[in-house]
Amino acid sequence: MKIRKDKLYTLSFFLSPMLIIVVLFYLIPLVLTVYISFTGMKNWNIERYMHDFVGFYNYQRLFHMFKYDPTFKAVVLTTIVFVGITLIINVFGGLGLALATFFMSERPGNIYRLLWLLPRMSPIAVYSLVWYYFFHGSEIGTLNSILLKLGLISEPIPFGQIIPWGAWSIIIFVNGLVGVSFGMIVFTSALNQIPKEIVIAARVDGASGWQISKRILFPMMKWHFLYVLTWQFLSLLTTYPHLFLLVEWDLVNRDYGTTLALYVFNTAFGRGEQEQGLAAAAAVILSILGIIGGVITLKVLEFEKMIKKPRGEIE
Amino acid sequence: MKHKAVFLLVVLISGVLASGCIGGETKETQASKKVQLTGDFAKDVIKIGKVLEENGISEVKFSAWGSGDPNSVMRVYGIVDAAYKINKIWKENGISVKITVTVKYDQSFNDQYKEFLSKQPLGQAGDFFVNSYAFLSTLAEEGYILDITDYAQAYQSVINDFYPTLLDASKYNGRLYGLPQDTEARPFYVRKDVAQCVGLDVSQLPEKVKNGEFTWSDVYYWAKQAKEKGCAEWGLIHRKGSAHPDLIQFIFAFNGKLYDENTGKLVLDVPAVYKWLYVEWKFARDGLLPEDIMSWDWAKQIHPTIVEGKTLFDIGGTWYWTEWQTKQYYKGRSLTPEEVKEWFAYTLFPAGEKGAKPVTLSQPFIWMINSKAGQLNPKYEELKDVYQALAFLMIIKASDPKINAIHSVISAHLPVRKAAAELIKDDQWLNNLKALNLDLAPEVKENIKDIVESTVNPINAQFLADVSYMLQYTHFAPSHPKYPALADIFKDAVDKVLRGEMTPEEGVNYIISKINADPELKDNIEIVGEIPKDWKFPRGD
């Protein structure tokens, strides 16, 4: 399809701010990351290692570590379980919350939404510290102390050290509580776009809340669902700050509290010698996994079908 | 007419600019940009002050980064006081230059090291950096800290007053990269009332441990007695985490080593590591040591268990002695010096078995200078040498015996200079410190007065004097860039063995597989020896 010159100018004008942002904040860092992954960069010494080309050494080293590390199996399993279950919680939890608050009157609905946003608004360290003391595996842990006082247990339970599900439950719970608000916001905004008249008309016809959701609301929110699913998948695949603290503070078992993203972070940045070259190689691999996962999600949910050409004249 | 006016204006502006340039150049060539240190502190300071003044500098800004327990704040205030003393000399000599120091004091030395590493290349790290000697090799290798060997030659008399082993810890490839700030020993604490309950005589214990007559087999025996007789909930409590090298004392106590000086590689001494893991495993299996100790909370579990007398033995550090006096670990309050003295005996870390030697471990902190020190000050490029010489003089002043002695007394670290070790034995000086009747910067006095109030006591000074002998038995964790990674693996293995997830043998094999999984670790670590087949613990001898 040929685009007329003046049309091209108009398009460039409107697209340029976004293109500049993409180039500045995505493309350049991506190119830099790929470049650094082929250097022996360490200890942030850019001046010294920027031109120290090592070829595929960092990739080879990573694969060797993945292949022979006795705890790597736990890391892979943790990544699959963590991303899978947290994704379900984040997407369906967000959807559930948005629907629940949609059917509420406006004031209590807003209050509930605000409450669910609190974990996202709290500083990560403070938020993690709360759950550190809540789930601590001794009598100083809030949960253990409550259970002990109620006489339900006689010995404190080391929740985060029960492998694998104890550790997994905590990391999924803590991250799910933060992530669920993202879906809630997007779905709430989607619901607010749906004309109220349709819902009122269905109500008048005697449709239940579930029927309204299933027949009217869900089909109209498919686009948002896809967006939240893909976004949260990519985000969970690379997330590590909460996990880092919970593992660092020994609340959860190190092997079953570590996802691939955290494994990469700890391997590259968490030791006395910080290796940016290795980190970059790992980041490139994670990006590739993310892209593959993202494309699969879009295919499964038939993204192409949702992008339809307008029925009217384009020109 | 118009052209003439423009021409005249151009000539005029060029003239003004040229005269400025020429004038500036003349002025700059007159002012000196370098100083040669003589070893006479006042003379050198005055010389530097004059150079700065001639170059139009009226204020020199520095920042000092330090970290550690709350009582160790002299790690940054030592620099503040050095600036105060230099400012005083300048004022007395009519030099109108002033040093101002901003401080940054964090809890975790490990985290601050990481911050220094990432910010130094950006020019945002502290001008002075006090941290573990363990990081010195990496910082020196990357060119992030200043080589002070040449400056130090002028101050040989001061340098000679430091303990030689500590000076060695401040060197990399034979060059001096900092001055020792403090060191410590890691005493093996024994709770006296629990010992009395089980019938263990602690009065002869330090001597017996020193002679290798009281080994870890005996520790096990008495710990078991304490538990079985109901004298204490636990037999032994120890520290946690990989950053704290306390537990690697076991390797040395079992005649093992961690570093091969000939090859420059780290060593995994399999027999010693196996014995270490076996001791941990055995203690935990018999309920003498909490199996989840590696995830205990410092403030709510570890310290309260020790100070409340719920354990017979504890592997700790000298700084515990004053930390217990300043933090509310004991039923919501801190201990008095008298209580600490009455409740705790201390010895070297016992030998692992008969024939081995007792040990302790030190991790000296070093005052290092950022290789970009003074970078935020005017004319940095021209006056770089002057700023660096001034920074060196500041760490010389911060290493003053008085400052070092204050730090030692209030934080229970050991002095790094012979003169400071003498000072802490002086009752009169201690009284003056207690009353803060010393020539210190007002800011320093203000910031240490509460710590001084609760810690300056003849009992604490005596404790330091009593444990000083331990330095003769000290070992250092290797100053090797890959050591932190190995320490992390040790931590994981100890945790798994304590929890009973692995047997000691599996623990050793786990360490070996983790080393082999990383080609760089594999290249940097020699694995020596094999798991001993007929070794028993406790031996009962």
Side-chain angles (χ1 to χ4, degrees):
Chain A
M1 189 176 72
K2 273 191 176 175
I3 301 175
R4 277 206 331 261
K5 221 175 184 180
D6 57 336
K7 185 88 179 167
L8 195 67
Y9 286 142
T10 319
L11 275 177
S12 311
F13 177 76
F14 285 109
L15 285 177
S16 57
M18 197 211 53
L19 283 175
I20 291 169
I21 287 170
V22 168
V23 170
L24 265 182
F25 296 106
Y26 184 75
L27 214 58
I28 295 177
L30 187 73
V31 171
L32 268 177
T33 307
V34 175
Y35 176 80
I36 290 169
S37 74
F38 291 103
T39 69
M41 179 92 73
K42 62 181 178 183
N43 297 324
W44 302 99
N45 206 337
I46 299 167
E47 215 171 287
R48 185 167 171 183
Y49 301 110
M50 198 60 180
H51 305 294
D52 173 29
F53 290 103
V54 293
F56 284 94
Y57 172 72
N58 288 322
Y59 291 92
Q60 283 166 350
R61 193 177 153 201
L62 264 181
F63 282 117
H64 184 85
M65 284 159 74
F66 287 172
K67 206 170 158 188
Y68 295 105
D69 193 327
T71 50
F72 185 61
K73 197 178 152 199
V75 174
V76 173
L77 269 177
T78 304
T79 310
I80 295 167
V81 174
F82 171 77
V83 175
I85 299 181
T86 319
L87 187 63
I88 293 168
I89 292 174
N90 286 356
V91 176
F92 289 100
L95 187 64
L97 278 176
L99 281 172
T101 50
F102 179 72
F103 287 113
M104 277 180 186
S105 47
E106 204 173 321
R107 210 181 151 81
N110 283 339
I111 292 171
Y112 273 110
R113 275 182 221 122
L114 192 71
L115 276 177
W116 280 93
L117 276 173
L118 279 179
R120 191 170 282 276
M121 291 190 284
S122 317
I124 291 173
V126 176
Y127 175 75
S128 302
L129 200 63
V130 169
W131 295 115
Y132 168 77
Y133 280 119
F134 186 80
F135 287 117
H136 200 278
S138 70
E139 64 277 5
I140 68 160
T142 316
L143 186 57
N144 267 316
S145 118
I146 292 170
L147 294 175
L148 282 168
K149 274 184 188 147
L150 290 174
L152 295 171
I153 52 170
S154 54
E155 285 278 306
I157 304 170
F159 300 105
Q161 302 297 338
I162 301 171
I163 51 171
W165 284 101
W168 285 347
S169 303
I170 292 178
I171 59 170
I172 289 169
F173 177 83
V174 172
N175 279 272
L177 217 54
V178 183
V180 86
S181 59
F182 176 80
M184 181 186 74
I185 297 269
V186 176
F187 291 132
T188 303
S189 134
L191 286 168
N192 287 335
Q193 298 302 311
I194 296 169
K196 290 270 190 284
E197 295 77 11
I198 304 175
V199 180
I200 295 164
R203 274 268 192 238
V204 170
D205 289 341
S208 65
W210 170 241
Q211 283 169 324
I212 296 172
S213 304
K214 195 181 163 193
R215 299 282 168 81
I216 304 169
L217 304 181
F218 290 163
M220 297 182 90
M221 283 160 63
K222 202 181 167 189
W223 179 268
H224 301 85
F225 186 81
L226 177 70
Y227 169 69
V228 172
L229 190 74
T230 316
W231 181 272
Q232 286 289 65
F233 167 73
L234 295 176
S235 161
L236 284 169
L237 197 65
T238 52
T239 194
Y240 65 83
H242 295 93
L243 300 177
F244 170 74
L245 291 175
L246 298 179
V247 172
E248 189 75 1
W249 295 338
D250 296 305
L251 180 73
V252 293
N253 179 276
R254 187 185 274 219
D255 302 336
Y256 289 93
T258 301
T259 60
L260 204 56
L262 181 59
Y263 183 85
V264 161
F265 178 85
N266 279 337
T267 307
F269 297 96
R271 293 175 182 175
E273 191 180 33
Q274 303 188 348
E275 300 178 90
Q276 285 74 47
L278 192 69
V284 169
I285 292 170
L286 257 185
S287 302
I288 293 169
L289 287 178
I291 291 166
I292 294 170
V295 169
I296 292 172
T297 317
L298 296 178
K299 283 273 174 211
V300 169
L301 290 174
E302 297 174 322
F303 175 73
E304 296 92 339
K305 283 189 184 170
M306 279 193 262
I307 305 180
K308 289 174 189 161
K309 275 187 184 175
R311 283 179 190 148
E313 280 290 316
I314 302 175
E315 290 299 313
Chain B
M1 190 68 195
K2 200 178 171 186
H3 291 292
K4 274 186 184 172
V6 170
F7 178 73
L8 275 173
L9 201 65
V10 169
V11 170
L12 195 67
I13 291 169
S14 310
V16 169
L17 285 176
S19 66
C21 291
I22 294 160
E25 221 166 58
T26 315
K27 198 180 169 189
E28 291 202 355
T29 44
Q30 281 169 354
S32 170
K33 304 283 189 298
K34 282 195 182 216
V35 282
Q36 188 68 40
L37 298 183
T38 62
D40 181 332
F41 186 78
K43 205 171 154 187
D44 288 340
V45 163
I46 292 166
K47 203 175 358 170
I48 286 176
K50 281 185 178 161
V51 171
L52 291 169
E53 196 176 38
E54 280 164 16
N55 281 281
I57 310 293
S58 58
E59 187 184 16
V60 181
K61 289 180 182 168
F62 281 126
S63 58
W65 285 18
S67 51
D69 61 285
N71 289 9
S72 298
V73 286
M74 283 307 286
R75 285 176 181 163
V76 286
Y77 287 115
I79 298 290
V80 173
D81 195 66
Y84 167 77
K85 302 272 164 61
I86 292 173
N87 285 341
K88 218 167 148 185
I89 295 173
W90 281 344
K91 201 173 176 188
E92 283 163 6
N93 288 276
I95 298 165
S96 55
V97 185
K98 198 181 170 203
I99 306 172
T100 49
V101 179
T102 50
V103 299
K104 174 174 147 61
Y105 193 74
D106 296 325
Q107 259 195 325
S108 162
F109 72 92
N110 218 359
D111 287 349
Q112 198 178 78
Y113 163 71
K114 286 178 189 169
E115 193 178 347
F116 186 88
L117 205 57
S118 59
K119 289 191 172 169
Q120 202 281 350
L122 302 173
Q124 295 168 352
D127 300 292
F128 297 95
F129 182 55
V130 62
N131 211 298
S132 165
Y133 82 103
F135 302 129
L136 187 133
S137 58
T138 304
L139 293 173
E141 177 63 38
E142 299 297 352
Y144 289 170
I145 50 174
L146 198 65
D147 176 350
I148 58 168
T149 318
D150 296 338
Y151 292 129
Q153 274 165 6
Y155 282 82
Q156 208 53 50
S157 58
V158 176
I159 303 296
N160 290 343
D161 194 45
F162 286 98
Y163 293 111
T165 49
L166 301 174
L167 275 178
D168 287 344
S170 315
K171 286 179 183 167
Y172 176 67
N173 282 345
R175 306 286 293 177
L176 192 65
Y177 280 91
L179 294 180
Q181 188 269 332
D182 78 4
T183 189
E184 77 292 298
R186 285 168 162 75
F188 186 68
Y189 289 103
V190 188
R191 182 79 189 199
K192 285 184 189 171
D193 47 355
V194 182
Q196 198 179 10
C197 174
V198 289
L200 170 66
D201 177 15
V202 293
S203 61
Q204 300 303 314
L205 207 56
E207 206 55 34
K208 280 186 173 178
V209 170
K210 217 196 279 186
N211 298 333
E213 293 161 18
F214 188 93
T215 68
W216 270 89
S217 283
D218 302 292
V219 175
Y220 174 84
Y221 171 79
W222 289 106
K224 204 166 182 200
Q225 291 287 312
K227 175 104 180 177
E228 283 172 359
K229 288 185 179 170
C231 295
E233 198 175 324
W234 303 103
L236 171 74
I237 291 293
H238 66 49
R239 303 182 80 216
K240 62 170 190 171
S242 56
H244 301 287
D246 307 53
L247 301 181
I248 62 159
Q249 289 179 103
F250 275 111
I251 295 179
F252 301 120
F254 279 111
N255 265 342
K257 58 178 188 172
L258 252 175
Y259 183 70
D260 185 340
E261 283 176 3
N262 298 325
T263 57
K265 286 186 178 185
L266 293 168
V267 170
L268 178 76
D269 195 317
V270 174
V273 172
Y274 171 77
K275 290 173 185 175
W276 164 24
L277 295 185
Y278 195 96
V279 173
E280 301 264 10
W281 180 81
K282 181 74 178 156
F283 268 79
R285 293 294 69 70
D286 292 350
L288 310 179
L289 167 69
E291 59 177 34
D292 58 346
I293 187 88
M294 299 301 266
S295 55
W296 270 31
D297 189 274
W298 284 106
K300 298 195 175 203
Q301 291 179 284
I302 294 181
H303 283 295
T305 306
I306 304 164
V307 296
E308 286 174 12
K310 292 179 184 167
T311 179
L312 172 59
F313 299 116
D314 167 52
I315 303 173
T318 48
W319 63 95
Y320 274 23
W321 192 264
T322 52
E323 193 173 341
W324 292 332
Q325 296 170 36
T326 47
K327 285 200 165 182
Q328 280 91 40
Y329 294 140
Y330 181 74
K331 298 175 181 170
R333 69 168 175 90
S334 49
L335 301 184
T336 61
E338 290 75 19
E339 282 171 331
V340 182
K341 187 186 174 188
E342 196 187 325
W343 294 352
F344 291 98
Y346 38 86
T347 79
L348 283 161
F349 188 94
E353 55 196 331
K354 285 275 158 67
K357 284 181 182 160
V359 298
T360 194
L361 196 124
S362 302
Q363 182 175 227
F365 264 50
I366 312 288
W367 255 317
M368 295 173 264
I369 300 171
N370 188 332
S371 55
K372 293 177 179 171
Q375 63 193 316
L376 298 178
N377 289 294
K379 297 188 179 176
Y380 170 69
E381 286 304 327
E382 300 159 51
L383 297 171
K384 198 174 169 182
D385 291 329
V386 182
Y387 287 127
Q388 288 181 348
L390 179 60
F392 171 75
L393 290 179
M394 285 176 75
I395 62 165
I396 281 284
K397 201 65 199 162
S399 302
D400 194 280
K402 287 173 195 157
I403 299 294
N404 191 219
I406 294 172
H407 172 73
S408 297
V409 173
I410 68 174
S411 73
H413 284 89
L414 298 176
V416 289
R417 290 184 62 169
K418 294 158 201 161
E422 287 303 312
L423 212 49
I424 60 173
K425 293 177 192 160
D426 182 348
D427 286 344
Q428 180 59 43
W429 182 81
L430 276 176
N431 287 336
N432 285 338
L433 173 59
K434 181 82 180 171
L436 274 176
N437 187 22
L438 297 172
D439 180 24
L440 291 170
E443 190 189 345
V444 178
K445 282 188 183 181
E446 183 57 33
N447 277 285
I448 64 169
K449 70 176 184 204
D450 290 343
I451 306 170
V452 164
E453 178 62 33
S454 57
T455 56
V456 178
N457 188 297
I459 290 174
N460 295 341
Q462 187 59 47
F463 167 75
L464 289 179
D466 286 352
V467 294
S468 295
Y469 81 95
M470 293 185 180
L471 288 181
Q472 295 164 31
Y473 296 81
T474 202
H475 290 71
F476 295 103
S479 173
H480 190 288
K482 294 288 175 192
Y483 175 67
L486 180 63
D488 261 350
I489 299 173
F490 282 150
K491 185 224 164 177
D492 278 353
V494 170
D495 192 25
K496 287 175 195 298
V497 163
L498 282 172
R499 290 180 195 278
E501 287 171 28
M502 286 182 182
T503 62
E505 191 164 358
E506 286 166 345
V508 172
N509 290 332
Y510 169 82
I511 296 171
I512 294 172
S513 355
K514 287 289 268 190
I515 291 169
N516 287 334
D518 182 348
E520 299 239 322
L521 273 185
K522 199 177 171 182
D523 284 351
N524 281 284
I525 301 174
E526 293 168 6
I527 300 173
V528 297
E530 284 177 7
I531 294 173
K533 294 229 165 39
D534 50 356
W535 189 77
K536 294 269 187 303
F537 178 85
R539 290 172 62 94
D541 53 4

